[in-house]
Amino acid sequence: MTARRPVVAGNWKMHLDHVEAVHVLQELALRLRTVDHAALEVCVLPPFTDLRSASSVIEAERLDLVLGAQHASEHDPGPYTGEVGVGMLARLGVDVVLVGHSERRRLYAMDDATVARTAAAVLAAGLRPMVCVGELADERAEGATEAVLARQLDAAMAQVGAADPARLLIAYEPVWAIGTDTAATPEDAQAACAFLRARAAMTMGEGAMDLRILYGGSATEDNAASLVQGDDVDGLLVGGASLAAASFTAIVGAVADCYGRAGRSTRR
Ligand code: PGA
């Protein structure tokens, strides 16, 4: 088993066209040089139309950045108007694919079974799925958080539980915390990530210790360091604060400082 390398990922959602993406990435290239982020995996997830340009900038600037996509089709090439296949993403240099973000689940009726099949398709293409799970405000109020997380995770594990755990990423994103300026407390983030790890262990046993589980939802440069304090929180999925190079770099720096401290970079 290996130590878990923390991840900071920026989900741009439907923001920044390909010209703006190039500008942000070039600024990121300059700013990230001022931060020792070698202990982390840093990832950006631009819209589909930006991927080609983003991949060129990452290559030209030799940026230590992983390129991700926000969604992919579960299907092989075929008559699926408007969809993008995993093979197409792989050809563009994409390495990570967000699967089942709550906005896809809620606005585009992506159910647990589709999320699971998509995660399997991403793995089969040699890419890494970042499967998003998280409860709604009402579900939390009803005390159903763990039941929801268990249902969402179990569905995914049924399809990908036999995969190399180091190639799987899970993002715990409580829906009530997304884009609301109300992040979960570090204690709640840790509790949920620990629950997810224990649940994953039911399928993958000890391998669950290699699974990276991120927190997402209103992460900022101010709360980043505290959100990753928990032993089971392996980084952050950042939305709004990833759109500007300055704030994203500040988050990367805060998380890198945290894991750079003795014992943190190799914690299990
Ligand atoms: P937020 O979004 O950081 O803007 O809350 C996170 C996400 O949806 O991935």
Side-chain angles (χ1 to χ4, degrees):
M1 287 186 292
T2 53
R4 297 195 300 268
R5 189 171 181 220
V7 182
V8 175
N11 173 13
W12 293 2
K13 307 193 180 185
M14 201 176 78
H15 295 286
L16 305 178
D17 63 31
H18 74 285
V19 178
E20 294 164 326
V22 168
H23 290 147
V24 169
L25 287 169
Q26 283 170 337
E27 190 183 337
L28 211 47
L30 292 174
R31 289 183 182 270
L32 280 176
R33 277 185 201 129
T34 65
V35 174
D36 177 7
H37 59 93
L40 307 185
E41 195 171 354
V42 182
C43 175
V44 288
L45 303 132
F48 288 135
T49 51
D50 299 5
L51 291 172
R52 177 83 192 233
S53 313
S55 152
S56 303
V57 176
I58 289 171
E59 206 179 299
E61 304 274 349
R62 294 179 205 279
L63 270 169
D64 189 13
L65 270 188
V66 171
L67 186 60
Q70 301 169 17
H71 173 66
S73 170
E74 62 177 296
H75 298 293
D76 289 336
Y80 303 103
T81 303
E83 288 290 281
V84 173
V86 287
M88 300 169 181
L89 297 175
R91 280 289 287 264
L92 281 170
V94 166
D95 182 2
V96 167
V97 182
L98 216 51
V99 182
H101 187 281
S102 65
E103 286 151 18
R104 303 289 325 170
R105 291 178 187 260
R106 216 160 27 91
L107 304 172
Y108 302 101
M110 198 172 178
D111 60 16
D112 289 336
T114 310
V115 170
R117 287 193 302 270
T118 306
V122 169
L123 276 172
L127 309 182
R128 296 181 290 156
M130 184 183 290
V131 178
C132 300
V133 298
E135 80 286 1
L136 302 167
D138 285 355
E139 293 166 335
R140 186 169 193 85
E142 287 161 14
T145 298
E146 291 192 350
V148 170
L149 297 183
R151 191 199 74 224
Q152 294 178 337
L153 186 74
D154 289 355
M157 283 295 158
Q159 292 282 338
V160 302
D164 175 1
R167 298 189 49 73
L168 290 179
L169 298 154
I170 305 289
Y172 167 59
E173 294 211 307
V175 180
W176 48 268
I178 295 177
T180 58
D181 289 333
T182 305
T185 63
E187 294 75 22
D188 284 344
Q190 160 59 21
C193 292
F195 173 79
L196 288 164
R197 193 176 310 285
R199 191 84 191 176
M202 291 167 64
T203 311
M204 48 176 48
E206 269 288 287
M209 293 304 288
D210 290 336
L211 193 61
R212 283 170 300 166
I213 307 179
L214 282 60
Y215 166 80
S218 297
T220 64
E221 56 194 278
D222 296 327
N223 61 21
S226 58
L227 282 169
V228 297
Q229 285 302 318
D231 278 350
D232 288 285
V233 183
D234 300 316
L236 298 173
L237 177 55
V238 185
S242 71
L243 296 175
S247 49
F248 190 56
T249 306
I251 292 173
V252 171
V255 176
D257 281 354
C258 192
Y259 287 94
R261 283 207 294 276
R264 295 279 289 173
S265 59
T266 54
R267 68 189 191 167
R268 293 299 321 273

